[in-house]
Amino acid sequence: MTTQNPPPNGIDISRPNVARIYDYLLGGKDNFTVDREAAKQLLAVTPDMAGIVRDNRSFIGRVVRHVADEGGIRQFLDLGGGLPTQTNVHQMAQRVAPDSRVVYVDIDPVVWSHGQALLAHGDQVAMVRADLRDPATVLRHPDVLALLDLTRPVAVVCASVLHFVADEDDPYRIIAEYRDHMAPGSYLAISHGATATAEEDPDDVVGGVTSVYRQASAQLHVRPLAGIQRFFDGFDLIDPGVVWINEWRPDPGVPPAGQPRSLRGGVGRKA
Ligand SMILES: C[S@@+](CC[C@H](N)C(=O)[O-])C[C@H]1O[C@@H](n2cnc3c(N)ncnc32)[C@H](O)[C@@H]1O
């Protein structure tokens, strides 16, 4: 997709878009000049950004494998699932259990149209265009209800997305609403941008990254560790708790692609 081609109807290419910036950083092609410019600004702030997004995908892979393997989870609700990439959540899950069902939810029209084309084939995967900040709409969406049985355990995945939800939108209430609709034995997985002290981040990389997103389709709201842990109220955090994503049950012998400390992440189980 380039600016030489007209953008699909309803697609805003006047400002950088969080889904398409992320796609560019992952080496994807579903992005426009404005997104690539923003991604380059991020890379100027921290050349590690491409490694960090790859580490985020690896974290998702380990989480999905864990909850499928150890938790017996066969249905996934991936909120803010993003543009289709090399290995998507349904492929990760179906490697463990071919009968796994996955619904991707994303607010973005490009994600939705590409997801429809690339992901939602067969009767085990669906792509829903919705705003995760409206849990009632997501949880009652016919495509969600057609694929997921919410009376049974489900894994709700919120990878690198809750930091695009502002405090004014009350993200804790939003996650609590999903939690209250999840059956016992369900899992919540989160990766999230974290604040850092001046000592931890002497070059203020977090501030630099946040300011690049100021002009984007959604702003970045990094949170302190305690603020990320709070999303797991009502869940039992499984070991090792909320940690740097690279420290969450790392695969032996697989080094991080980016810096060891980037996003925070954790997984909770509803008792
Ligand atoms: C950085 S990408 C993360 C993609 C994927 N979850 C991952 O971690 O690899 C964030 C995604 O969240 C989506 N998003 C942002 N705000 C959202 C909202 N309120 N509701 C649904 N999706 C949202 C964006 O469109 C984008 O696709």
Side-chain angles (χ1 to χ4, degrees):
M1 198 185 290
T2 70
T3 46
Q4 281 88 54
N5 298 323
N9 280 343
I11 308 290
D12 181 2
I13 58 159
S14 67
R15 60 180 179 162
N17 170 285
V18 298
R20 301 184 321 235
I21 295 171
Y22 188 81
D23 172 71
Y24 177 80
L25 291 168
L26 276 174
K29 293 196 171 59
D30 300 323
N31 47 74
F32 296 95
T33 302
V34 70
D35 311 308
R36 294 190 282 275
E37 289 305 322
K40 284 173 192 160
Q41 288 173 30
L42 290 173
L43 290 165
V45 174
T46 171
D48 228 17
M49 205 66 189
I52 293 170
V53 298
R54 284 207 300 282
D55 287 338
N56 184 51
R57 294 300 307 173
S58 303
F59 167 76
I60 299 168
R62 299 194 301 279
V63 166
V64 169
R65 198 179 64 208
H66 178 84
V67 302
D69 240 348
E70 313 256 325
I73 293 293
R74 296 293 177 265
Q75 40 179 12
F76 294 81
L77 182 62
D78 187 358
L79 300 175
L83 279 155
T85 182
Q86 253 174 352
T87 310
N88 302 287
V89 164
H90 69 282
Q91 289 148 333
M92 297 169 180
Q94 287 170 2
R95 268 183 201 155
V96 179
D99 58 335
S100 299
R101 284 157 288 130
V102 178
V103 178
Y104 297 99
V105 174
D106 206 286
I107 197 170
D108 190 273
V110 175
V111 173
W112 181 77
S113 63
H114 285 239
Q116 288 281 321
L118 294 175
L119 301 178
H121 47 79
D123 52 8
Q124 289 176 220
V125 185
M127 176 83 220
V128 166
R129 187 177 171 197
D131 187 337
L132 73 86
R133 292 170 296 184
D134 182 1
T137 298
V138 171
L139 292 165
R140 283 194 214 119
H141 193 287
D143 294 349
V144 172
L145 296 176
L147 220 52
L148 307 182
D149 174 0
L150 295 175
T151 66
R152 302 180 63 79
V154 62
V156 173
V157 179
C158 298
S160 199
V161 65
L162 292 176
H163 51 220
F164 294 119
V165 179
D167 287 344
E168 299 88 89
D169 290 327
D170 202 349
Y172 300 108
R173 175 198 54 80
I174 292 168
I175 293 301
E177 207 170 322
Y178 285 105
R179 179 198 63 213
D180 293 346
H181 284 83
M182 290 158 71
S186 293
Y187 288 86
L188 171 70
I190 292 175
S191 62
H192 196 297
T195 55
T197 62
E199 257 177 15
E200 292 164 335
D201 184 18
D203 299 327
D204 193 21
V205 167
V206 173
V209 169
T210 303
S211 83
V212 173
Y213 278 106
R214 229 163 254 146
Q215 15 137 17
S217 55
Q219 282 67 56
L220 185 66
H221 307 275
V222 294
R223 297 192 166 90
L225 175 60
I228 301 168
Q229 287 166 329
R230 189 176 155 199
F231 284 115
F232 293 98
D233 282 359
F235 294 88
D236 297 327
L237 268 173
I238 64 169
D239 275 350
V242 177
V243 292
W244 301 111
I245 52 171
N246 290 319
E247 292 170 3
W248 198 90
R249 298 174 181 253
D251 286 326
V254 182
Q259 57 192 267
R261 298 176 165 197
S262 52
L263 303 173
R264 303 261 193 193
V267 178
R269 183 177 183 277
K270 185 170 166 177

